Every structure is written in structure tokens, then in C-alpha cells.
């Protein structure tokens, strides 16, 4: 099975900072990669699909890139409401594995 | 409005069974592939199982294969997860999730239920 890894596992940045989260698949998954945001006690929210397609209503400060095995989620200017755990997920085929998550906090 | 509402969770002893339900509203369940995802307390998201829109294709995570069964009754707009031989490590919030586009198998999850807590403990 394809394994998903994320780095860093956690980060703390200042408001307005540019933040980048990396997701890596152990084998190529084309662009079948989604990013989710989960705030404390809440249901995960789909931010991005097809590696770089922003979901409706998601702020444009979020962007995604990558294809194959290496992907990134970037927040261009971190806001207090972005405090959350971010998960990548492969969805090309079963198992639809999630990455371990990246906790983002405000410094 | 599109909604998924899980029910059936609770406290159960190791080795026993439990069946979760996920009631869908606001969309035609029969058009969508559906998933179960779980999250143990303080841990990350773990994909559990998937079922195609017509129920003909099903896949499971290795951690639940042979113990859990995913099914659906499109006439009742309900998804199910039958959980047998439960273990303490199955303790988690179980959520159902819908894929974004009707008719697609390989797709991200855009609608999630609030989840149902399952605690396996003696």
C-alpha cells in the first residue's frame, strides 16, 4: 500500500507569515491528492482537491501544488482562524490513506 | 441542505458487535460513493472503508478487514458499518463521508457527518 507522510508534524508561525506544509506519497498518485483542515472539535473541511483545486469558499491565501509523489499546501499569509490540523489524503484508489497531520499554531 | 448524521455508537465490551448508521439527506445517496473514517481520541484521521454507489464494490483498511462490513440501503438513504469482534484499539469517533462528485469512485470527501463515538472497553 502507498504510505503518506507529512512534514513538519507541527509548526508555529506569526500572523502574516507564509506557511508551507509538505506531503509525500511513497509511490506516484498523479494529482489524486486532497487537503483537509480540521479545527479543534470540528469535522474535517475539504480545502483542496486534485492537488491544487481550491474548494468553493476557501480563502485564496490557501494554495496547493505538486504531482506524482511530492505535494505542498501553502498559506500565503497566516491568519488566526487558520489554527488547525491539516491532513493530506490520497484518493486515486483504495486504501484512501490520510497523512499523519500537521498542527499549525500561532506564535 | 446536505447532511449526514451518524448513530449507533456507544460503549461495548471487547469481542462484541455494534452497527453504525449514517442517514443522508439533501442529496440522492444512490448517486455517491461513500466512506467511513475514524479518529481515535487525540489522534489523526484513519480511513476505514468505502462502498460504491450501487454497493457492488467495497474495500477496507487492513486494520478492520474481516471484522467490519460496510453496506448501504439506498431506498432508506442510509449507510451502515457493521463492526464485529471489536477491540480496544477500535475506540474512536466514526464519521461517514461523501465524495464530491456523483458517480465518481476516486474523489475527495466534501461532506462529513459529525461522527458517532465508539468506546471498546471492559
Amino acid at each position: 500500500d502507498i504510505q503518506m507522510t507529512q512534514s513538519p508534524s507541527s509548526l508555529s508561525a506569526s500572523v502574516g507569515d507564509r506557511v508551507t506544509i509538505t506531503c509525500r506519497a511513497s509511490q506516484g498518485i498523479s494529482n489524486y491528492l486532497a487537503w483537509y483542515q480540521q479545527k479543534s472539535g470540528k469535522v474535517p473541511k475539504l480545502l483542496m482537491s486534485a492537488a491544487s483545486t481550491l474548494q468553493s469558499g476557501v480563502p485564496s491565501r490557501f494554495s496547493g501544488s505538486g504531482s506524482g509523489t511530492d505535494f505542498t499546501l501553502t498559506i500565503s499569509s497566516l491568519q488566526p482562524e487558520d489554527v488547525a490540523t491539516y491532513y493530506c489524503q490520497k484518493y486515486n484508489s483504495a486504501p484512501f490513506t490520510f497523512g499523519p497531520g500537521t498542527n499549525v499554531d500561532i506564535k | 441542505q446536505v447532511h449526514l448524521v451518524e448513530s449507533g455508537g456507544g460503549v461495548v465490551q471487547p469481542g462484541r458487535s455494534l452497527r453504525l448508521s449514517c442517514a443522508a439527506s439533501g442529496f440522492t445517496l444512490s448517486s455517491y460513493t461513500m466512506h467511513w473514517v475514524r479518529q481515535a481520541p487525540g489522534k489523526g484521521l484513519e480511513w476505514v472503508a468505502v462502498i460504491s454507489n450501487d454497493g457492488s464494490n467495497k474495500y477496507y483498511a487492513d486494520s478492520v478487514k474481516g471484522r467490519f462490513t460496510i453496506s448501504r440501503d439506498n431506498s432508506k438513504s442510509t449507510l451502515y458499518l457493521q463492526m464485529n469482534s471489536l477491540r480496544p484499539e477500535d475506540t474512536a469517533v466514526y464519521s461517514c463521508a461523501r465524495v464530491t462528485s456523483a458517480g465518481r469512485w476516486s474523489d475527495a470527501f466534501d461532506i462529513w457527518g459529525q461522527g458517532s463515538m465508539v468506546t471498546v472497553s471492559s
Side-chain angles (χ1 to χ4, degrees):
Chain A
D1 291 346
I2 297 174
Q3 306 303 314
M4 305 299 292
T5 57
Q6 286 182 237
S7 61
S9 57
S10 65
L11 67 89
S12 186
S14 299
V15 171
D17 280 356
R18 183 182 184 87
V19 167
T20 298
I21 299 169
T22 297
C23 175
R24 179 162 290 171
S26 60
Q27 298 176 42
I29 58 171
S30 185
N31 67 338
Y32 289 89
L33 192 282
W35 288 98
Y36 299 87
Q37 175 193 65
Q38 187 178 32
K39 297 183 179 181
S40 181
K42 301 296 185 181
V43 167
K45 174 185 177 181
L46 177 63
L47 295 179
M48 201 110 42
S49 60
S52 60
T53 301
L54 206 62
Q55 294 302 111
S56 175
V58 174
S60 59
R61 63 180 179 273
F62 290 91
S63 63
S65 65
S67 182
T69 59
D70 295 317
F71 304 87
T72 59
L73 173 69
T74 299
I75 308 173
S76 61
S77 176
L78 187 67
Q79 299 301 304
E81 59 267 32
D82 300 335
V83 169
T85 302
Y86 293 83
Y87 296 93
C88 63
Q89 181 206 20
K90 65 172 280 293
Y91 60 87
N92 58 318
S93 62
F96 296 82
T97 309
F98 290 91
T102 296
N103 295 316
V104 174
D105 202 355
I106 299 291
K107 193 182 295 183
Chain B
Q1 206 164 3
V2 175
H3 278 302
L4 295 171
V5 178
E6 301 89 344
S7 60
V11 180
V12 62
Q13 293 180 327
R16 303 299 291 265
S17 299
L18 208 57
R19 188 177 81 157
L20 302 181
S21 299
C22 167
S25 60
F27 68 99
T28 304
L29 183 67
S30 61
S31 296
Y32 290 85
T33 294
M34 296 293 294
H35 296 257
W36 285 99
V37 177
R38 69 183 181 183
Q39 188 167 31
K43 302 297 184 183
L45 301 172
E46 181 185 11
W47 175 79
V48 173
V50 60
I51 185 168
S52 58
N53 64 312
D54 63 357
S56 61
N57 289 300
K58 306 173 185 179
Y59 287 90
Y60 301 91
D62 285 345
S63 57
V64 307
K65 201 174 296 181
R67 300 187 298 123
F68 289 13
T69 301
I70 188 171
S71 63
R72 63 196 297 159
D73 187 337
N74 288 334
S75 68
K76 295 182 178 179
S77 294
T78 304
L79 175 74
Y80 302 101
L81 186 67
Q82 177 68 43
M83 304 183 292
N84 298 333
S85 303
L86 281 161
R87 305 166 179 168
E89 55 265 36
D90 294 320
T91 294
V93 173
Y94 286 74
S95 298
C96 54
R98 191 196 80 170
V99 300
T100 304
S101 301
R104 291 195 64 178
W105 174 259
S106 298
D107 206 358
F109 306 171
D110 69 334
I111 304 296
W112 296 65
Q114 289 294 322
S116 183
M117 183 70 205
V118 173
T119 302
V120 184
S121 173
S122 54

